[in-house]
Structure formats: structure tokens, C-alpha cells
Amino acid sequence: MEDSFTVVTSDSAENEVPVFILSFRQRDEVAAAAASGGWRVIAARRADGLDQRFLASGAAVAVLDVRGAMSEGLAAAKLLGPTVEQHGAAMLILISQSDTVHMRHFHDAGATHFLSSPMSSAAMAHAIRSAFRHAERLAGWGRDGGGATEPLGWRFDPEVGAPQLTPALANLLGLSEAPGARAMLRRLEAPDRLLLRAALRRLGGKDGGSTAFAHDLPGVGRVVQHLQQDRETGRLDVLVEALGVAPDASSAVRDLLTGARDGPSARRWIDRRLDEGARVAVVLIGMTRFDTVNTAYGREVGDELLRAVSKRVSEVSREALGASAIVARIAGSEFLVATDESSGARLEQGVVRLEEALGRPFVVSGTIAPIGARLATATGEPGDSAAAMLRRASEALLGREVRADPAGPPVEQLAHELHRALERGEIGVRYQPQVAIASGQIVGVEALARWNHPELGEIGAEALFAAAERAGLEAALSDNIQKRALSGAARWPSLLSRLRLSINVTAADVGRAGFADSLLGRIDASGFPRSRLTVEITETGIMADLTEAAGLLAELRAAGCRVAIDDFGTGYSSLAYLKALPLDYLKIDKRLSHDITGSPRDRIVVRGVIDMARSLGLSVVAEGVETEAQLDLLAKEGCQYYQGYLCSEPLDVPALTRRVHA
């Protein structure tokens, strides 16, 4: 019989959250990868009583390594699937590349995540983290008051002669050391001792091997003890499943930090309204960059930020979705809004309002916190449950996380490979045209990074810089792209000789000592004229250090370059700092370009931005223009330039030459 309490730990483990791993072919690298990621691994190699053993383990994620064991793996997935869905957990399937055609069968059985060979330890660890985040969203597992607990259980080995308890059970019973067998029995009430003896007799019978019995355990409530015995060694392994007492479904338990409902309370509310026939809709909100703020400014600022987010979500959701809408903090920096009053149109408008509200800055403890949000929705269907709705919303939210492409690898994997990609010259540049609205002529281009990945194809700038930030390679990546853009533009054919070139400077560049001198040296070394170069810096990059940014831009402008503020409208849009900075262009973010065809109020906002820029003597470039209607309204409001897919996607030099010629 395999050891249900095999524990693999890492000296650097931070969260000590259990993960349950079933491996049919005894692959220790799976457990090692999980342990290296900070998980406490509970390993098993037999599927007997799998659903109950998984529950008793306290794990949020079940990892099934089915490589070389497809039939056993699928049977285990079917056994575990209902438990995973009912309890809002996650099931990660590790599968051979040759067997990926069978993934749909595992999905039908209840699998939530997949990873196929070849798989690195880093990819495996990330897959487990992604699965755990999924479980956090569905059922609030985790350290912030979630459902993951240390496993409760004990073991009796005849060779040892005394019971061995898991740490969680020992702590629960107030024991500093394992008791003897008689002491263990005395902790049970007389009727429960009879139940235990009966269970042991059943194990000794011809149908033995495994059995269970239920009783009350002080400090825990109702529990089920799942017993398994190895016939050869006589060793007894017991998992204790805490059933507990279900709280009142109408109660609204509050999260102590934010005052919002907690996750279990929200799920009970959803289930109750669904049972009553209400049409329920949920909005799942994942705050981005919260961990960065928490690390940079400390736990106290992070807590205050969460309270501010909760307050803003509550105010906007009740105004946009109705007074009956509830707000819950379900895991870490993730929130849930649920309502039973919203039509499809009202829900859509509510999501827009929430996105706008969470896109505005948060000021906490005198600090401007640059965070954002991703939102996903789900609406109730016949026979639905809270767990099913949250699973759909979680899957939609996962699809919106920053990746190299919709089906591509996670940022962590890209970060792991980025250094080698820079050395091999896999990072290149494409040029997106900038068009004068009055004449329709291409007058400049913006250089945009592209990673020509040997396996994954082309990867865009957003995922590329996210990977660089994770790997600590922002400066190296920025230098590489600037060099390639400048050297490439210096060799343009004569047809492109009058185009302006825009290159991007990151927030990390702003804080680098001597960056202006090194950039000017790079420009001159390339042979590209300073007079045709525009240096773009994002609004959030400026706010990272306004004094440093102002000095850098002034130095570059004095040296003959032009300067643009990029993505204006996504951050703080302060007129005070806009007036103080030495700027030539203001590039309004693509959201504003899209908003101009929205409501009259949206158009007024865009008009105000354009009027403000022009009153300060700045030329205006609209980004992300995709339709003739957007372009027409931007022109009427006084915008001079645009870039976006209405003209062209980012191009290589031959394609750019053909486009300019046309």
C-alpha cells in the first residue's frame, strides 16, 4: 500500500499549502517540482478511495500524472471530477504529447488544467500555481482565509508500535508528541471506540483493504475516518475528513480586512438565489500588479489598498447593477460581484463601469498605486450552481491573463527563456505607421518589439516586457530593442528617409543613472539623425519618478530629439505635470480612441484631452484606431495623427516600404 502521507518539503517553501499528486509510474520529478515551488506535496500512487483521500488532504489542487497510464488516469479523473467541481478545487493533468488527442475525455471528466510533454520543472511549477489560482477564485482556498488546510490523519505501523499523527491533527488535539494507542482510544467516546473496533474488524475480513466510520471529534465537529490497511505489512493509514457544520445559508460572513462578504458567504448567497429561480450573474475581478505594490510599499499599504478597492467596487456595483448586488473578497486581491437583477445589457454596462472605476488611480497613505484589473462574467443557467458559475468565470479570467499568445506559455516560462533569446538575437523590431490625418500620408513609425520564438512563433511586446520584468531583464531588453530599432532605421531605403522614428523608454530606464548619455551615444553610433527621432515614455513611467523623468526628457529634447507621452488616459492624467514636462506629442491611449464612438459623455472626455493638449502646443497622436468612424470623429475633434490597424499592423522594413510607396 502506498503512503498517503508522503510529505515532500522545500527549505524555501513559503506558503506550505498542500498539493495532492497521484503518479501511476512513480515519477519523483513531479513532486520535486511542486516542492521547489513552495508547495507541501502529498503523494499517492494508487487511486483507491481517491476522492475521499483528496478531500482529507486539504489540498486545493489534484495533479494526475497520466503519462504512460492513460486508462488508469482517466478512471481516476472520472472518480475525482465530481469532488473537484463540488468543492471548487482544480485538477491538473500531466499528459504525454502523443496522448493530447484524448484531452477532451479528461476535460469531460472534470479536469481544469493540462500540461503536456516535454515539460520543464518551471513549467510544471507554474501549471500548479495557475491551477491553485483557479481554486482560489472558485472556493477561496489559500492563506487569506481560504479552504486549504493541512491534512488531518494518523498512521499505525506495527514495527513502530505507536500511532503517528500528522502535525495538523496533533495541533488540533493539543498534543506535543504522539500518544500511545490506548491514549488515542481514550480520546474517543465509548460509542465511537466501538465504531473504530468494528471498522478494524472489517479491515481484517475478506473484503478488507479500506473502510470508514463517522463520529464527532472535539474541536472539529463531525468527521469521517477513512482507513486503509496494507495486508502484507499490517500498516494502517487513516485520513480524517472534517465534515464540520454548515453555517446558516442566509448569514453574510464578512472579510475582516475589507468588510466585504467572504467567499463562502457569497457562494451560499448565489446557490440560494439560484434555488429560488433567480437569474444570477457574477463578475469576477482580478486586480493586477497588486503584488508589486504590496512588495514595494509594504503590507500596511497593501491592506489599505484592498480596502479602497473593496469600497470602490461596492459603490460602483450597487449603482450600476442594483441595490441587491453583493460584493465579496474571495481570495487575496480578487473580488466577486453577484447580482440577481441584471439584464444582459445592464450587466455589460456594469462591467464597463467597473473597468473604468478600477482603471482610475488609488491613492493610499500618500502613495499613488499603479494597479489595474481584469474582469470576467458568468450568468446562471438551468441547473446551475455557484461552483459551476465561478468555474466558468475563472476560466474566462484565466484566458485574459498576460500570455505570449492566447494558447501560449506563461510569462514565467518566457522569463526563463528570455536571457538565451537575447543572446541568440531572437528579439526583433516591427514598425507601425503613424499617419497624418489631414493628408493620409505616413509620416512616421513606432518601433515595437517582437520575439521570434523558435517554437511559439511571434510574441508581442506586452508579454515580452512582462517576462523581462519577471526575469529582471528590463534594462537589457530595452537596450536591445533601442539598438535594433535605431540601426535598422539608419539603413532604411531612400523611400523611407523622411519618416520619423519613435522608440520607447521604460519606467526602469528613467531611473537608470546616466541613461540619457548612453541613449544619445546609442543614437549617434547608429547613424540615425536625432532630429528625426521621437522618444516615447508612458504616463505611468513618468509618474514612477516625475523629477527624474522631467530631467531626462529635458536633456533629450535639448539634444535635438522630440519627446512624446505615450498611453495618455490610462493613468493619472494630471494637467499640472503635463504643463511641467518638456513635450512635443501627446499620444492618447487606444481606449480613448475607441470611446469616442461611444456615448456623448465619452466623446466629451476625448475632446477635452485633445483640446488640453493643443492648448499646451502639443501635437496629438491617437493610438489603436481601427474604424473609419473612430478616425472621422477624432479628425473632427482636432487630432492630427493616428496609428492603428485601420492603416496597418506593425510591419517589417520591406512591407513598410511597399506600404509607403502605395
Side-chain angles (χ1 to χ4, degrees):
M1 175 177 172
E2 291 299 332
D3 183 0
S4 300
F5 294 102
T6 302
V7 177
V8 183
T9 60
S10 167
D11 292 338
S12 61
E14 295 180 356
N15 52 30
E16 285 295 319
V17 174
V19 59
F20 187 92
I21 297 179
L22 174 62
S23 181
F24 293 94
R25 294 295 180 264
Q26 303 186 18
R27 289 186 173 90
D28 293 334
E29 75 271 16
V30 181
S36 67
W39 307 98
R40 184 162 53 78
V41 176
I42 300 169
R45 291 190 174 92
R46 294 176 61 184
D48 298 343
L50 180 62
D51 52 347
Q52 296 297 336
R53 292 162 64 196
F54 172 66
L55 276 179
S57 72
V61 178
V63 181
L64 272 58
D65 186 358
V66 304
R67 292 172 292 173
M70 283 293 294
S71 58
E72 300 101 313
L74 184 56
K78 290 179 178 178
L79 176 63
L80 194 55
T83 300
V84 166
E85 181 167 0
Q86 180 181 357
H87 293 270
M91 189 197 308
L92 168 63
I93 306 296
L94 307 182
I95 193 168
S96 300
Q97 183 68 44
S98 59
D99 291 326
T100 53
V101 293
H102 302 296
M103 283 170 52
R104 62 184 180 87
H105 299 301
F106 285 93
H107 185 273
D108 292 343
T112 60
H113 295 73
F114 294 90
L115 184 65
S116 65
S117 297
M119 56 189 75
S120 65
S121 294
M124 203 178 301
H126 175 79
I128 295 173
R129 284 196 297 274
S130 295
F132 182 73
R133 286 199 298 270
H134 175 83
E136 279 188 311
R137 295 172 185 130
L138 264 63
W141 300 81
R143 287 174 291 176
D144 295 304
T149 60
E150 293 190 359
L152 302 175
W154 56 279
R155 171 193 303 147
F156 181 79
D157 190 332
E159 293 185 2
V160 177
Q164 298 169 280
L165 279 64
T166 60
L169 184 58
N171 290 336
L172 194 62
L173 298 177
L175 299 172
S176 58
E177 59 184 22
R182 292 183 181 276
M184 281 277 289
L185 285 174
R186 283 198 298 270
R187 288 185 171 270
L188 297 176
E189 298 290 338
D192 296 335
R193 289 200 293 270
L194 294 176
L195 290 174
L196 174 58
R197 291 190 176 107
L200 293 173
R201 284 196 299 271
R202 289 196 296 274
L203 288 176
K206 63 178 182 178
D207 297 326
S210 64
T211 188
F213 72 99
H215 66 99
D216 293 319
L217 183 64
V220 180
R222 196 69 175 167
V223 301
V224 177
Q225 297 208 35
H226 301 274
L227 290 74
Q228 296 187 11
Q229 188 172 44
D230 189 321
R231 292 287 184 93
E232 295 181 3
T233 66
R235 190 174 69 183
L236 180 67
D237 288 279
V238 183
L239 292 171
V240 180
E241 177 190 0
L243 299 179
V245 179
D248 180 7
S250 64
S251 65
V253 181
R254 296 289 166 177
D255 172 60
L256 294 177
L257 177 62
T258 64
R261 286 177 180 248
D262 68 355
S265 168
R267 289 187 290 275
R268 290 194 298 271
W269 184 90
I270 294 170
D271 280 330
R272 178 166 55 85
R273 296 300 292 131
L274 287 170
D275 290 343
E276 293 170 355
R279 179 173 175 78
V280 179
V282 299
V283 183
L284 193 58
I285 303 170
M287 305 305 299
T288 60
R289 299 192 296 276
F290 171 77
D291 289 342
T292 303
V293 173
N294 209 30
T295 302
Y297 300 106
R299 177 72 176 270
E300 188 173 329
V301 171
D303 289 349
E304 187 177 343
L305 178 57
L306 286 176
R307 285 189 286 268
V309 170
S310 178
K311 181 180 179 182
R312 189 175 295 182
V313 170
S314 297
E315 291 173 349
V316 174
S317 61
R318 289 185 172 87
E319 179 183 343
L321 299 174
S324 68
I326 67 165
V327 176
R329 178 180 175 230
I330 59 172
S333 59
E334 293 187 339
F335 291 82
L336 173 72
V337 178
T339 177
D340 55 7
E341 289 187 358
S342 293
S343 63
R346 189 175 186 185
L347 178 64
E348 184 176 344
Q349 184 60 31
V351 171
V352 171
R353 292 280 303 279
L354 284 166
E355 286 179 332
E356 292 173 348
L358 295 173
R360 298 197 303 269
F362 288 88
V363 181
V364 293
S365 300
T367 299
I368 299 178
I371 65 172
R374 293 172 286 105
L375 287 79
T377 63
T379 54
E381 300 173 355
D384 226 337
S385 66
M389 290 184 68
L390 288 174
R391 177 175 179 171
R392 294 198 300 274
S394 178
E395 289 171 349
L397 195 65
L398 283 171
R400 298 188 180 191
E401 290 185 346
V402 177
R403 293 177 178 267
D405 59 60
V411 171
E412 282 82 356
Q413 182 177 338
L414 297 180
H416 181 70
E417 299 175 356
L418 182 57
H419 190 278
R420 186 171 54 191
L422 289 168
E423 292 178 343
R424 292 179 176 179
E426 295 174 1
I427 310 298
V429 173
R430 294 290 179 89
Y431 303 94
Q432 186 167 41
Q434 297 172 333
V435 183
I437 293 178
S439 65
Q441 291 183 328
I442 296 175
V443 294
V445 295
E446 179 183 0
L448 298 171
R450 291 294 184 268
W451 182 353
N452 185 23
H453 197 286
E455 298 175 0
L456 305 169
E458 189 171 273
I459 295 172
E462 185 177 11
L464 184 52
F465 273 95
E469 181 180 0
R470 193 71 56 89
L473 293 172
E474 286 180 285
L477 177 62
S478 184
D479 289 349
N480 179 276
I481 295 167
Q482 291 161 9
K483 288 178 183 177
R484 283 182 170 269
L486 289 163
S487 61
R491 299 192 301 270
W492 278 346
S494 58
L495 188 61
L496 308 181
S497 62
R498 294 187 179 182
L499 296 185
R500 296 195 61 79
L501 171 68
S502 294
I503 61 173
N504 290 281
V505 169
T506 69
D509 290 332
V510 172
R512 292 162 62 186
F515 175 72
D517 289 338
S518 64
L519 178 59
L520 291 171
R522 194 172 299 137
I523 296 167
D524 294 341
S526 72
F528 191 83
R530 295 182 182 182
S531 59
R532 285 171 47 209
L533 183 69
T534 300
V535 177
E536 298 186 5
I537 182 171
T538 63
E539 187 179 352
T540 51
I542 289 174
M543 288 305 299
D545 194 326
L546 183 57
T547 303
E548 289 286 345
L552 171 65
L553 299 184
E555 195 169 347
L556 293 174
R557 201 163 183 253
C561 304
R562 293 187 185 178
V563 175
I565 182 172
D566 195 12
D567 294 339
F568 188 83
T570 60
Y572 316 111
S573 308
S574 168
L575 179 59
Y577 78 72
L578 200 60
K579 288 169 59 179
L581 291 171
L583 299 172
D584 298 288
Y585 300 97
L586 183 149
K587 299 186 70 177
I588 61 176
D589 183 68
K590 61 184 179 182
R591 294 183 189 177
L592 292 180
S593 299
H594 296 171
D595 285 348
I596 198 167
T597 56
S599 67
R601 185 174 181 176
D602 292 332
R603 185 171 176 182
I604 290 171
V605 171
V606 180
R607 178 187 301 158
V609 171
I610 295 174
D611 288 346
M612 176 180 64
R614 299 196 65 176
S615 68
L616 295 173
L618 307 180
S619 298
V620 181
V621 183
E623 296 184 286
V625 178
E626 297 178 354
T627 68
E628 291 286 353
Q630 292 169 0
L631 180 60
D632 181 57
L633 290 175
L634 287 164
K636 290 178 180 178
E637 298 301 343
C639 181
Q640 295 110 314
Y641 305 96
Y642 83 93
Q643 69 181 82
Y645 279 73
L646 179 61
C647 172
S648 173
E649 71 280 5
L651 303 168
D652 58 20
V653 174
L656 175 63
T657 304
R658 291 192 296 270
R659 182 60 57 92
V660 172
H661 179 73

